[in-house]
């Protein structure tokens, strides 16, 4: 039996915060100078305790495994902290059965939305075609619908969505079939590419970005952020702060000797020795603006599908691995920013300024 929705219901009962705000479980780590961010994780009970006691989250965002499902159930009940959303990544032709099983796990744990990251390549090596992605979405949507679990396809590096120009045409094809295209907009995966030729090449958009045909900066009109919000597809937004063309993760090297990608920029100023590079508050602004824009859109569009928000300061190599700041504190501060931004959005809307 899954835990109830008490956290989300309490948060939105008075209408002040009409979203469910969760913390990604990969970010629940109390790291420090003496204990850098690692791939070792706290016990599940301890993760739930920290998220609950922070007082800023409505739920825990993580998919249980079959072998630790009972631990999740105990923690959800003990801390009255539900799991509303869950994420995983899949390679078509290899992970289809896993994907279907995870939809059932989502149902069983009480999650109503499954965030899906689908690799660019099929298991046989070919790049997924638009037709294959549309069929993939329709398949998982229909299967999920029977289980009471909505899929949401995420904007993410290494996935088909990293070729960002593909998103809108595919979303429109799905919408044309009378089916909502649910999109998880983690705009960090756009913002960190701004001004970075190598990353723009990976996304196959360098020429378009440099010519102005594709606008990445959320402060500019007609950005991808505006485009996706305007399609009415953004079901879930994630906040991981990044800096445009920020440093790579200089504390982690890949097998080929290159540094891990840099897709995480601390939202709180690191103390001396806690991070590998200089820190500037202004670097956070594109990440914050993408969130503000999503909240403004929701406040001014009655049909906005936005339901879920998560903080995504996490421990993996391209993100926070090796860092010596308090990773969980970063997520708590991200959640505080989101709640404050919503209050500011409400005030602007009430004053007729949106």
């Amino acid at each position: 039996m899954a835990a109830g929705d008490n956290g989300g219901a309490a948060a939105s009962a008075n209408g002040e915060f009409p979203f469910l705000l969760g913390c990604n479980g990969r970010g629940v780590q109390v790291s420090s100078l003496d204990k850098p961010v690692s791939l070792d994780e706290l016990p599940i009970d301890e993760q739930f305790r920290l998220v609950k006691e922070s007082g800023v989250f409505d739920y825990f965002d993580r998919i249980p495994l079959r072998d630790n499902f009972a631990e999740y159930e105990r923690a959800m009940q003990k801390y009255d902290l539900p799991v509303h959303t869950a994420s995983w990544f899949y390679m078509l032709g290899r992970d289809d059965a896993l994907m279907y099983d995870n939809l059932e796990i989502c149902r069983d744990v009480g999650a109503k939305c499954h965030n899906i990251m689908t690799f660019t390549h099929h298991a046989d090596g070919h790049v997924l075609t638009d037709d294959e992605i549309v069929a993939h979405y329709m398949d998982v949507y229909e299967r999920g619908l029977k289980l009471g679990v909505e899929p949401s396809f995420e904007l993410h590096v290494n996935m088909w969505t990293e070729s960002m120009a593909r998103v809108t045409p595919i979303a429109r094809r799905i919408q044309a079939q009378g089916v909502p295209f649910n999109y998880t907009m983690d705009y960090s995966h756009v913002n960190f590419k701004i001004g970075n030729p190598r990353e723009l090449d990976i996304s196959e958009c360098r020429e378009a970005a440099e010519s102005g045909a594709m606008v990445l900066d959320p402060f500019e009109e007609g950005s991808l952020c505006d485009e996706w919000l305007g399609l009415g597809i953004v079901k879930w937004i994630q906040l991981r702060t990044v800096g445009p063309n920020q440093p790579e993760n200089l504390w982690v090297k890949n097998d080929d000797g290159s540094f891990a990608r840099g897709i995480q920029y601390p939202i709180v100023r690191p103390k001396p020795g806690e991070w590998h590079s200089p820190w500037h508050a202004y670097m956070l602004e594109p990440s914050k603006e993408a969130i503000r824009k999503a909240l403004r859109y929701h406040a001014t569009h009655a049909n906005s599908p936005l339901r879920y928000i998560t903080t995504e300061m996490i421990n993996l190599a391209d993100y926070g691995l090796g860092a010596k700041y308090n990773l969980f504190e970063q997520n708590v501060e991200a959640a505080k920013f989101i709640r404050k931004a919503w209050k500011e959005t409400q005030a602007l809307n009430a004053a007729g300024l949106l």
Side-chain angles (χ1 to χ4, degrees):
M1 181 187 303
D5 284 357
N6 295 341
S12 12
N14 58 11
E16 289 186 0
F17 194 78
F19 317 104
L20 293 167
L21 178 55
C23 181
N24 187 313
R26 289 191 181 275
V28 188
Q29 191 172 135
V30 186
S31 43
S32 65
L33 279 169
D34 297 328
K35 191 175 182 180
V37 176
S38 76
L39 297 178
D40 296 330
E41 299 189 4
L42 293 171
I44 290 167
D45 182 271
E46 181 69 359
Q47 292 180 39
F48 271 80
R49 183 187 69 79
L50 287 167
V51 172
K52 180 68 175 184
E53 292 182 358
S54 72
V56 294
F57 294 107
D58 300 320
Y59 73 97
F60 191 86
D61 169 51
R62 193 82 182 268
I63 192 163
L65 303 176
R66 287 291 181 191
D67 61 6
N68 64 14
F69 190 92
E71 291 181 77
Y72 270 75
E73 281 196 311
R74 287 193 294 271
M76 287 189 297
Q77 296 293 342
K78 180 177 179 179
Y79 298 106
D80 191 22
L81 188 68
V83 172
H84 288 299
T85 61
S87 303
W88 203 252
F89 51 89
Y90 306 102
M91 179 175 284
L92 295 189
R94 184 192 70 184
D95 299 327
D96 305 65
L98 172 64
M99 180 173 63
Y100 301 148
D101 189 47
N102 279 346
L103 285 172
E104 294 186 1
I105 291 176
C106 286
R107 176 200 60 194
D108 295 344
V109 81
K112 299 298 184 183
C113 190
H114 183 34
N115 185 49
I116 291 176
M117 295 164 276
T118 306
F119 285 108
T120 302
H121 292 84
H122 188 275
D124 66 14
H126 78 267
V127 173
L128 295 177
T129 66
D130 287 6
D131 286 347
E132 286 177 306
I133 295 167
V134 170
H136 165 42
Y137 184 90
M138 295 301 293
D139 172 50
V140 74
Y141 181 82
E142 290 171 7
R143 287 176 182 269
L145 198 64
K146 294 175 182 177
L147 299 171
V149 179
E150 290 187 275
S152 188
F153 278 23
E154 185 179 348
L155 166 66
H156 201 284
V157 295
N158 303 319
M159 310 298 159
W160 69 268
T161 47
E162 187 167 14
S163 292
M164 298 174 292
R166 302 186 73 185
V167 174
T168 292
I170 287 173
R172 285 178 171 155
R173 283 184 58 180
I174 291 166
Q175 290 175 322
Q177 298 185 49
V179 172
F181 179 73
N182 296 327
Y183 192 45
T184 302
M185 190 173 76
D186 181 348
Y187 212 73
S188 70
H189 293 291
V190 175
N191 279 331
F192 91 103
K193 291 177 179 284
I194 295 173
N196 187 320
R198 177 179 174 275
E199 286 292 344
L200 294 175
D201 282 340
I202 293 172
S203 287
E204 303 175 307
C205 68
R206 181 175 175 182
E207 182 178 348
E210 291 179 349
S211 70
M214 177 185 286
V215 179
L216 308 186
D217 187 344
F219 280 101
E220 294 191 50
E221 292 299 320
S223 69
L224 288 175
C225 185
D226 292 330
E227 181 177 312
W228 294 327
L229 288 168
L231 284 171
I233 61 176
V234 179
K235 183 78 171 182
W236 180 344
I237 52 174
Q238 299 178 337
L239 176 56
R240 174 188 306 104
T241 48
V242 297
N245 195 17
Q246 72 165 71
E248 296 173 313
N249 188 351
L250 303 181
W251 278 331
V252 177
K253 285 191 174 182
N254 299 310
D255 292 340
D256 64 3
S258 63
F259 288 112
R261 296 164 101 173
I263 321 178
Q264 188 159 294
Y265 196 93
I267 194 171
V268 178
R269 174 184 285 279
K271 298 180 180 69
E274 288 187 342
W275 203 45
H276 49 66
S277 297
W279 185 91
H280 305 283
Y282 70 85
M283 294 279 280
L284 301 168
E285 286 307 307
S287 299
K288 292 181 175 182
E289 183 63 10
I291 296 296
R292 294 186 192 107
K293 277 199 164 181
L295 298 180
R296 291 173 197 148
Y297 183 89
H298 184 84
T300 55
H301 292 77
N303 61 346
S304 166
L306 181 60
R307 173 64 170 161
Y308 307 103
I309 307 177
T310 49
T311 65
E312 301 284 331
M313 308 298 281
I314 62 173
N315 65 336
L316 299 179
D318 290 336
Y319 306 93
L321 187 62
K324 300 172 185 178
Y325 49 68
N326 184 328
L327 185 62
F328 184 57
E329 178 191 25
Q330 299 286 330
N331 282 287
V332 169
E333 291 303 315
K336 289 178 179 177
F337 163 77
I338 291 164
R339 291 189 181 276
K340 180 181 178 184
W342 176 245
K343 288 182 179 179
E344 291 169 350
T345 298
Q346 284 184 301
L348 289 171
N349 198 33
L353 298 176
L354 295 182

